Amino acid sequence: MTVSQPYVFSGIPIETSDGNVSIVCTLPQMADVLANDWPSDGPMFLAALAALVGERVGRCSTRDVHRAFIAAALEADCLPDSYMKN
């Protein structure tokens, strides 16, 4: 029997200002990182937060959230170089 794990993505590495990298794989992890550790409050950050809320109320897909989170990470320069080369 296969157990479905909704809201799980391939990991997105996020590099913190001290150089540590954490892998974000779920919507709750995305919400936690955005709420607690995000170095920017630009428009893509706000769009990622809005996408997370939209997903909870059925207005956005999980794929939309994933894309918005990556866009926010690009804006905040949080994606490690190795991720950008892939």
Side-chain angles (χ1 to χ4, degrees):
M1 177 172 109
T2 303
V3 177
S4 175
Q5 291 186 337
Y7 318 121
V8 176
F9 303 99
S10 60
I12 302 168
I14 298 298
E15 188 170 3
T16 60
S17 59
D18 61 4
N20 290 324
V21 176
S22 60
I23 306 299
V24 178
C25 299
T26 67
L27 294 181
Q29 287 174 340
M30 287 179 187
D32 183 56
V33 169
L34 287 170
N36 297 313
D37 301 322
W38 210 251
S40 166
D41 62 354
M44 295 297 111
F45 164 77
L46 297 174
L49 288 177
L52 281 163
V53 171
E55 191 279 331
R56 291 291 294 175
V57 298
R59 293 187 182 157
C60 287
S61 71
T62 54
R63 186 176 191 139
D64 293 336
V65 176
H66 189 251
R67 288 178 180 162
F69 185 81
I70 290 174
L74 285 168
E75 174 185 70
D77 197 28
C78 293
L79 294 174
D81 290 338
S82 60
Y83 183 80
M84 297 302 296
K85 291 177 184 176
N86 292 329

